[in-house]
Amino acid sequence: MRMSRLQQVQILILLLLLAGVSLIFARNSASFAAWTNLRNILLDATPIVVGAVAMTFVIITRGIDLSIGSIANLSVASAIMLTGVRPEGSMLTETGWAVYPVALAVGMGLGFINGLCITVLRINPLIATLGTMTFYRGIGLHLTEASLISVQGAISWFGRGQFLGLGLPVWLGIAVAVTAAVILSQSVSGRQMLALGGSPRSARETGIGEVKIILVVYALVGLAGACAGLTIVGRVGVLSSELGSGLEFTVITAVVLGGTSLFGGSGSILGSLLGALLLTTIQNGLNLIGADPYHYDVIRGGILIAAVTMDTLASRIAGRTRLSVG
Amino acid sequence: MMKSRTLLACLLGTCLIVLAPLPTMAQDVKIGVSFDKVEPFREAQKAGLDAAIAAAGASQSFANADKDAQRQASQVDSLISEGVGAIIAIPWDIEAAVTIAQVAEASGIPFITMDQAPADLEAVTYHVGGDPCADGRAAGEFFVKVADGQPFKLLEIQGSLSNDNGIRRSSCLNEALASAGNVSVVAQVPTDWNTERAMIATQNTLQEHPDLNGIYVPFNDGLNGVFSALEARGRLKPVGEDGHVTIVSIDGLPIGCKAVQDGFLDLDIATPIPAMSTKAVEAALKASAGEELQAKAEFLPGVPYGKADLEAKADELWGCK
């Protein structure tokens, strides 16, 4: 399926914004355009990219998942508590390879529970995931007793590993984005997600398995949350009670920046990827140019408003307002 | 294996017994404790209060507002309805704390704030906290001393800019640095007390300033992130080794103490949690008994310690026990 004209305009706007802020930062910082810094940007963006890609599927189907940050926390916390070993008298918890499958399985399971709340219990996605956001974080805090857990061993392999000059998480981000883009644009499942988001009633009448699709997309967000959590803890070397805090808003911002409609039925993986890169580039550039700390939120918020305004204008010009969907 | 919270409570309890015996008039008093959030430092404060309340023979009812001022207000209402004798709160929102305090006082319940000062100290019965300004200033003076008149590039990691501790730990650091023209703060990065953001801030600043000399980390939780970024650039070297980056942190958590012991953290400033907890509980019990308090507010400066001080200051370093 080819991108619509509107999506092409949205992608163009994002690319221009990304190029514009990059130029500004490059003019003000000698090291912004250095390869090592670009590598850092890609690595820092990975948890947001992975989360945003999965969140795109959810938002396309008219849903939202506020619990991704809490899933990142709980999935990694439970994997470390279940598989890690802390020798008596040591402050370091040694992790083995089992931490990966356990975290991913827990993450997927938590996402699946979100899907069940929405499909079986018929709870609005916003309310359901608002509830599980608090619930999952509460369990995570209980498991770790809100303490800092320093970790080493296998969990660091992924977060700190390199392949062909790029961090392993970056390769994961690329693989996830490419696979998701192919699924959304080329597969039957992708078309079903778009149809379900565009008009749930029509989708049901044509026999599209609504429950199955919703369960799968929320489980994918859970899986993405676990990947994000593993990446962060692998890099930082510590499991903190703040892990994943605020991730949901960054991820949703990236998706909205990328042009995915909050009303469902349209969206683009490439847009979400660029949205995540734009947010990370701004953070990185502000740091490099030594910006006033009080300007960070102002600039981030301003760029979000600018992007959404341009997107709205583009929609009007294309004669297709978002409200006409569904 | 003993749970870490229990262990921490035992350690803080020992400190309390050493530091200040509490009055024993509290047999039937229940103290309402309202926290703004739970995280490692708050866990240490909770353990301190648990120990102080138990030492006084009182009981408690605990509530966590989870970073929500409205929730904290509701929880305080519930504590008042429950009939607690006094409330000790760590406010999430320093402005909202004033209203919450007024509601408690109107119900005849003494309202004590701990750690985070409310916007108006007159509104509360008593406040006891660390002295974020003194701690920030001590950190600044340490950097000036280490720089010794030579050019010195410093990264200032910031906590939260909407929080009294975050703001004053930053502003007073900069006040102390103002007189030293050789120390330049090359980046100030707000992190909202988040370890990952501290790592990214360090990583990015090292990109622009590979010859960075010092990092100010005003919360121990951020240390792992900073060390991780330094290690990735080959700059994680112990104190005294060529290329070492001077690091000063605040809190006094076990993770901070370990970093000092391992030689990667030059100076940690330990918040005196046992003394703070004792004073808060003491004030709560006195006020609930109708006794007058000697002071309206007390600010306790942290205990600065490096590797050389570990033995001499052992009694005050609760995170090292």
Side-chain angles (χ1 to χ4, degrees):
Chain A
M1 185 188 283
R2 288 186 64 227
M3 260 194 241
S4 69
R5 191 173 186 79
L6 175 62
Q7 282 176 333
Q8 287 174 358
V9 174
Q10 286 168 333
I11 298 295
L12 187 64
I13 289 171
L14 266 178
L15 281 170
L16 286 173
L17 264 174
L18 191 56
V21 294
S22 298
L23 268 175
I24 293 168
F25 289 137
R27 280 179 67 100
N28 289 285
S29 160
S31 53
F32 177 81
W35 167 239
T36 45
N37 190 53
L38 300 179
R39 222 169 44 178
N40 288 342
I41 292 175
L42 291 175
L43 189 54
D44 297 344
T46 301
I48 308 170
V49 168
V50 174
V53 164
M55 190 69 78
T56 306
F57 286 140
V58 164
I59 293 180
I60 278 176
T61 59
R62 291 196 175 198
I64 197 144
D65 191 339
L66 299 179
S67 69
I68 185 168
S70 299
I71 291 179
N73 189 311
L74 178 54
S75 55
V76 179
S78 37
I80 290 172
M81 300 308 279
L82 285 170
T83 66
V85 178
R86 192 167 88 173
E88 196 73 45
S90 169
M91 283 184 70
L92 279 170
T93 297
E94 188 71 42
T95 56
W97 295 103
V99 76
Y100 292 103
V102 173
L104 296 175
V106 171
M108 202 153 71
L110 297 172
F112 190 76
I113 292 170
N114 283 342
L116 286 175
C117 290
I118 293 157
T119 53
V120 178
L121 301 178
R122 290 277 169 207
I123 305 173
N124 177 290
L126 184 78
I127 306 299
T129 57
L130 186 64
T132 53
M133 176 175 85
T134 310
F135 182 63
Y136 295 159
R137 187 162 288 278
I139 299 175
L141 287 174
H142 183 72
L143 272 180
T144 60
E145 294 181 328
S147 56
L148 279 179
I149 299 176
S150 297
V151 289
Q152 62 177 18
I155 200 165
S156 304
W157 168 82
F158 179 66
R160 298 181 189 184
Q162 300 256 331
F163 179 65
L164 296 178
L166 288 176
L168 289 178
V170 178
W171 291 108
L172 171 80
I174 293 169
V176 166
V178 170
T179 309
V182 170
I183 289 172
L184 190 62
S185 61
Q186 307 290 330
S187 75
V188 175
S189 304
R191 284 193 288 277
Q192 288 179 338
M193 284 179 212
L194 289 164
L196 181 62
S199 173
R201 199 178 66 181
S202 305
R204 274 192 294 271
E205 284 169 358
T206 51
I208 289 175
E210 184 186 6
V211 171
K212 192 174 125 193
I213 290 174
I214 290 176
L215 287 175
V216 168
V217 294
Y218 281 92
L220 284 176
V221 171
L223 195 61
C227 287
L230 285 168
T231 302
I232 295 167
V233 174
R235 288 188 72 195
V236 177
V238 69
L239 170 66
S240 147
S241 57
E242 290 290 310
L243 171 65
S245 177
L247 180 65
E248 56 281 353
F249 296 112
T250 313
V251 161
I252 292 167
T253 305
V255 176
V256 172
L257 266 174
T260 295
S261 167
L262 284 169
F263 296 97
S266 76
S268 128
I269 298 295
L270 179 58
S272 299
L273 175 71
L274 291 173
L277 284 175
L278 180 62
L279 291 175
T280 313
T281 303
I282 293 167
Q283 178 74 29
N284 175 279
L286 289 173
N287 195 160
L288 291 191
I289 64 171
D292 186 313
Y294 289 97
H295 293 165
Y296 276 64
D297 286 341
V298 176
I299 293 170
R300 276 190 298 234
I303 286 179
L304 176 63
I305 292 167
V308 174
T309 306
M310 283 194 271
D311 176 34
T312 309
L313 288 174
S315 301
R316 281 183 191 158
I317 291 165
R320 290 172 51 184
T321 62
R322 290 166 189 279
L323 286 171
S324 67
V325 179
Chain B
M1 194 165 57
M2 192 183 274
K3 294 260 186 185
S4 56
R5 190 186 296 174
T6 316
L7 185 62
L8 203 53
C10 292
L11 294 173
L12 287 161
T14 313
C15 291
L16 287 172
I17 291 163
V18 172
L19 283 170
L22 284 158
T24 51
M25 61 201 175
Q27 298 306 321
D28 297 321
V29 178
K30 184 187 245 187
I31 298 174
V33 179
S34 167
F35 271 32
D36 56 344
K37 59 181 178 177
V38 286
E39 39 92 23
F41 190 71
R42 290 284 181 267
E43 276 297 306
Q45 289 176 310
K46 171 87 171 64
L49 279 175
D50 288 350
I53 290 169
S59 60
Q60 66 166 299
S61 185
F62 177 80
N64 166 31
D66 201 16
K67 304 179 184 175
D68 186 333
Q70 179 58 43
R71 190 178 296 139
Q72 189 159 39
S74 305
Q75 288 173 343
V76 168
D77 285 343
S78 303
L79 290 172
I80 293 168
S81 308
E82 214 180 298
V84 296
I87 293 170
I88 299 174
I90 301 180
W92 171 246
D93 184 314
I94 59 173
E95 298 287 345
V98 174
T99 315
I100 297 173
Q102 285 164 347
V103 170
E105 298 269 345
S107 308
I109 309 292
F111 192 82
I112 285 102
T113 49
M114 185 169 127
D115 194 24
Q116 304 252 57
D120 179 8
L121 281 172
E122 286 305 312
V124 297
T125 311
Y126 171 76
H127 171 79
V128 60
D131 190 337
C133 194
D135 296 347
R137 197 178 300 118
E141 285 163 0
F142 185 82
F143 283 120
V144 172
K145 190 176 144 199
V146 170
D148 196 21
Q150 301 301 309
F152 191 93
K153 289 185 176 179
L154 177 69
L155 159 65
E156 185 202 347
I157 289 173
Q158 297 178 327
S160 165
L161 297 176
S162 58
N163 157 297
D164 187 52
N165 280 339
I167 294 164
R168 291 171 69 207
R169 282 179 186 180
S170 169
S171 60
C172 293
L173 168 93
N174 286 288
E175 273 173 34
L177 297 176
S179 58
N182 58 314
V183 180
S184 54
V185 179
V186 293
Q188 294 175 301
V189 188
T191 64
D192 246 336
W193 312 110
N194 182 296
T195 312
E196 187 202 4
R197 287 180 208 158
M199 175 187 70
I200 291 173
T202 309
Q203 163 205 281
N204 292 343
T205 308
L206 281 169
Q207 179 68 36
E208 183 76 3
H209 304 281
D211 54 346
L212 190 73
N213 303 103
I215 306 177
Y216 174 55
V217 193
F219 59 112
N220 280 178
D221 292 15
L223 285 171
N224 270 77
V226 169
F227 292 155
S228 172
L230 286 172
E231 193 177 7
R233 292 289 296 224
R235 295 287 312 269
L236 184 62
K237 296 178 192 301
V239 179
E241 201 169 292
D242 201 28
H244 166 72
V245 176
T246 303
I247 304 175
V248 176
S249 189
I250 300 177
D251 275 349
L253 285 171
I255 202 163
C257 182
K258 180 158 193 314
V260 169
Q261 286 167 339
D262 291 346
F264 294 113
L265 178 59
D266 297 72
L267 186 79
D268 191 21
I269 301 170
T271 305
I273 289 180
M276 199 187 287
S277 307
T278 305
K279 283 176 179 289
V281 173
E282 211 168 35
L285 295 176
K286 276 188 176 172
S288 70
E291 290 180 40
E292 200 168 313
L293 301 177
Q294 285 179 334
K296 183 80 175 168
E298 287 181 88
F299 297 93
L300 315 174
V303 181
Y305 69 100
K307 201 170 182 178
D309 306 311
L310 287 169
E311 218 170 288
K313 297 183 178 177
D315 283 347
E316 298 169 275
L317 306 178
W318 50 271
C320 297
K321 291 180 194 291

